C-alpha cells in the first residue's frame, strides 16, 4: 500500500491536469508451459495509476502476492527464483504512445513504452495493450512475455525441464477516478 501512495503522490504533485485514474486491485496472471508441469499463478494485489492527460501509466505488483495451486511451487517461486524478500515488487512505468479521446467510449489498441523492473533489473519495453472506455469506467489490458534471462532469473540445470525460460504475463486493471486528483 505504501508503494501505491508513493506512486499517487508522484502523479498528484508532478501533474497539473486532473483527473487521475487509480486501480487498487490489478489482476495479473503468470503462465509458463513446461514439459513436466505448467506454472500458473494469479495476483489481485497490484496497484496502478493512469494519467489520461499525459498518457503516463504506472504499475506495482507485490511478487509474494502470486497465488499458486501448489504451496511448494509458490515457496520455490518466491525463495529460489524471484527472491521476493530481496526484490519484493515488479514495476512498470511508461507512457501510452497513441492519442486517446478519453471522453469517447470504445476500445483503443495502444503501445506503451517504458521500463519494466522485475527481479531488480530494469528493461526498456514496448508493450501492446487495449484501453477500453465506457461511460463509467476505464480498463487497461495487456498480454506480454517476460524472458527470465532478461531479468537475471536463474533456472538451475537440474530443474530446467520443470521451468520454461519465458513467462506469459496477463494484466487487467479497472480504473476509477482518484479522489486525490479532484
Amino acid at each position: 500500500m505504501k508503494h501505491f501512495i508513493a506512486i499517487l503522490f508522484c502523479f498528484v504533485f508532478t501533474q497539473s491536469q486532473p483527473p487521475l485514474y487509480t486501480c487498487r486491485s490489478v489482476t495479473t496472471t503468470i503462465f509458463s508451459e513446461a514439459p513436466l508441469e505448467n506454472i500458473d499463478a494469479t495476483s489481485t494485489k497490484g496497484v496502478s495509476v493512469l494519467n489520461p492527460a499525459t498518457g503516463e501509466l504506472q504499475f506495482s505488483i507485490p511478487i509474494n502476492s502470486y497465488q499458486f495451486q501448489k504451496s511448494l511451487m509458490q515457496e520455490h517461486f518466491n525463495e529460489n527464483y524471484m527472491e521476493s524478500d530481496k526484490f519484493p515488487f515488479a514495476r512498470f512505468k511508461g507512457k501510452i504512445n497513441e492519442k486517446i479521446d478519453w471522453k469517447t467510449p470504445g476500445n483503443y489498441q495502444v503501445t506503451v513504452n517504458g521500463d519494466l523492473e522485475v527481479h531488480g533489473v530494469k528493461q526498456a519495453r514496448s508493450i501492446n495493450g487495449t484501453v477500453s472506455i465506457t461511460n463509467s469506467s476505464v480498463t487497461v489490458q495487456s498480454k506480454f512475455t517476460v524472458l527470465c534471462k532478461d531479468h537475471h532469473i536463474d533456472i538451475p540445470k537440474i530443474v530446467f525441464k520443470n521451468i520454461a525460460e519465458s513467462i506469459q504475463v496477463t494484466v487487467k486493471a479497472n480504473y476509477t477516478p482518484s479522489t486525490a486528483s479532484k
Side-chain angles (χ1 to χ4, degrees), residues 13-34:
F13 290 102
T14 61
Q15 306 301 325
S16 61
Q17 299 180 9
L20 298 176
Y21 287 86
T22 59
C23 177
R24 295 176 191 247
S25 57
V26 175
T27 299
T28 56
T29 59
I30 56 174
F31 179 79
S32 180
E33 189 172 345

Side-chain angles (χ1 to χ4, degrees), residues 2 8-9 13 22-23 31 35 39 46 50 55-58 67 69-70 75 79 87 100 107 123 141 166 178 181-182:
K2 67 181 176 178
L8 187 58
F9 179 82
F13 290 102
T22 59
C23 177
F31 179 79
I39 296 169
L50 167 65
E56 292 176 286
L57 187 62
Q58 291 188 24
Q67 298 298 307
Q69 288 184 345
K70 295 182 178 179
E75 182 179 325
E79 292 177 9
F87 308 109
I100 295 175
N107 293 322
Q123 182 190 47
Q141 296 183 77
S166 64
S178 171
S181 65
K182 293 180 180 179

Side-chain angles (χ1 to χ4, degrees), residues 134-148:
T134 68
N135 290 328
S136 60
S137 69
V138 173
T139 301
V140 171
Q141 296 183 77
S142 181
K143 188 178 219 179
F144 57 95
T145 300
V146 174
L147 299 177
C148 294

Side-chain angles (χ1 to χ4, degrees), residues 67-79:
Q67 298 298 307
F68 293 76
Q69 288 184 345
K70 295 182 178 179
S71 60
L72 185 58
M73 191 179 282
Q74 186 165 330
E75 182 179 325
H76 286 279
F77 173 81
N78 282 296
E79 292 177 9

Side-chain angles (χ1 to χ4, degrees), residues 81-95:
Y81 304 108
M82 296 302 292
E83 300 176 274
S84 60
D85 286 344
K86 188 175 180 182
F87 308 109
F89 293 93
R91 294 186 177 97
F92 180 79
K93 181 179 180 180
K95 187 171 183 176

